[in-house]
Amino acid sequence: MGRLRIASVSFINARPLTFGFESAPYRDLVEMSYEIPSAIPDLLREGRVDVGLIPSIAWTDLPGAVLLPQICIGARRRARSVLLVSRVPIDRVRRIALDSASRTSAALLRILMADRGRHDIAYDVRPAPLRTMLQDHDAALIIGDPALTADRFGLEVMDLGTAWFEATGLPFVFAVWAARPGVPLPDGARWFLESRRLGLASIPAIAREAAPVLCLPADEIEMYLTGDLHYLLGSAELAALDLFLRRAHELGLASQHRPPVFLDPPPFEAVPSAPVPAPAGVQP
């Protein structure tokens, strides 16, 4: 077998997961590529990559694939980089532009709006940037680095991670590692777990490197990667993922409600979740 082909996203939120693959000890053992999130499931389906960081909604459309255990990109409460940005009050929105890079966040937004009784919204897929998306829409869903850096002056903003937590009391799982059927993974998930360990230990350096690129203070990026996001797929995250996939299926946003299947699954009841202190007035 040649080098393991891995597809990830170029957003800063994935760097803690891919850090070990971009440097020692695994850099020479893998072939990394970077795509928008919505494109990675097709690369897996077509056999062009072996493992991909997929939007969690895409799991239902990848028969035979397996997820890697204990790893995700999740939000404890606030996501900060998954935002509905609106020119009008959120409750008056009628047309929304959905970021073409997004699949999970687009489904999450539709679920949140449906749960608020908003079945009258027209959705269109549009590429970023934000101001272009807003030219002929009331609001726009933006994700990733463009959401972190967008000029939102004078606009209303809804953080989808916060809205999900307020509705469910659960964290949200935006992305997971998936391996295509029949791919032999050296040492199972160990390479990916070790890459995450190295990445989490290197977040201050990752933040310093990204600061001039994103034009954001390094300490703000570090807080985003450690305070807003987390990378452990534990019991609460698994419950949240199941709830999200079930709701997506009920609304016709997923072809089926398919329980996750893991490579060498650990006993999830023994895997703690990232701590989520409940705010006042919200019952988990």
Side-chain angles (χ1 to χ4, degrees):
M1 179 180 176
R3 292 192 295 172
L4 190 69
R5 299 172 301 169
I6 301 174
S8 184
V9 299
S10 59
F11 297 153
I12 187 64
N13 58 24
R15 285 295 311 283
L17 296 185
T18 61
F19 187 84
F21 297 127
E22 297 162 350
S23 55
Y26 300 115
R27 179 176 53 203
D28 296 332
L29 302 177
V30 303
E31 179 182 322
M32 293 293 303
S33 61
Y34 299 90
E35 307 287 343
I36 62 172
S38 57
I40 294 177
D42 287 337
L43 297 180
L44 280 172
R45 195 176 293 109
E46 296 162 6
R48 295 163 59 190
V49 298
D50 302 314
V51 181
L53 188 64
I54 64 167
S56 57
I57 189 70
W59 160 250
T60 60
D61 297 321
L62 291 171
V66 293
L67 301 182
L68 303 192
Q70 302 187 33
I71 308 172
C72 71
I73 297 179
R76 295 180 175 90
R77 185 183 306 149
R78 182 178 69 165
R80 279 200 60 195
S81 57
V82 182
L83 306 175
L84 179 67
V85 183
S86 179
R87 297 186 292 110
V88 301
I90 300 294
D91 60 1
R92 288 171 44 198
V93 165
R94 292 292 181 269
R95 294 191 65 200
I96 297 178
L98 301 174
D99 193 328
S100 58
S102 168
R103 289 189 59 184
T104 290
S105 302
L108 174 58
L109 176 62
R110 289 172 182 260
I111 290 169
L112 292 170
M113 288 302 187
D115 287 350
R116 296 178 180 201
R118 296 300 313 278
H119 302 284
D120 57 341
I121 298 173
Y123 297 95
D124 302 300
V125 177
R126 294 288 186 270
L130 173 63
R131 294 291 172 173
T132 300
M133 299 169 77
L134 288 176
Q135 285 178 357
D136 54 358
H137 291 81
D138 299 322
L141 170 68
I142 53 174
I143 69 168
D145 295 353
L148 283 178
T149 58
D151 177 9
R152 293 170 278 160
F153 180 77
L155 301 171
E156 291 210 5
V157 178
M158 181 174 81
D159 186 299
L160 269 62
T162 300
W164 170 266
F165 181 81
E166 290 175 346
T168 68
L170 292 169
F172 191 79
V173 177
F174 288 100
V176 286
W177 284 121
R180 65 182 177 86
V183 172
L185 294 183
D187 294 326
R190 188 175 69 84
W191 288 12
F192 293 84
L193 292 166
E194 180 66 6
S195 180
R196 180 187 62 182
R197 186 189 67 80
L198 294 169
L200 293 178
S202 303
I203 281 179
I206 291 171
R208 288 193 300 270
E209 178 184 332
V213 177
L214 297 178
C215 298
L216 293 173
D219 58 351
E220 183 177 333
I221 298 171
E222 185 173 348
M223 178 57 66
Y224 165 64
L225 296 176
T226 59
D228 297 312
L229 300 185
H230 70 280
Y231 299 90
L232 173 65
L233 184 66
S235 53
E237 289 75 22
L238 192 61
L241 179 59
D242 182 73
L243 175 60
F244 168 63
L245 294 176
R246 175 159 48 84
R247 290 293 292 124
H249 177 55
E250 291 169 354
L251 292 176
L253 304 174
S255 59
Q256 58 182 319
H257 176 219
R258 180 182 173 214
V261 177
F262 291 91
L263 174 74
D264 301 326
F268 273 93
E269 66 273 13
V271 179
S273 297
V276 185
V282 175
Q283 296 298 318

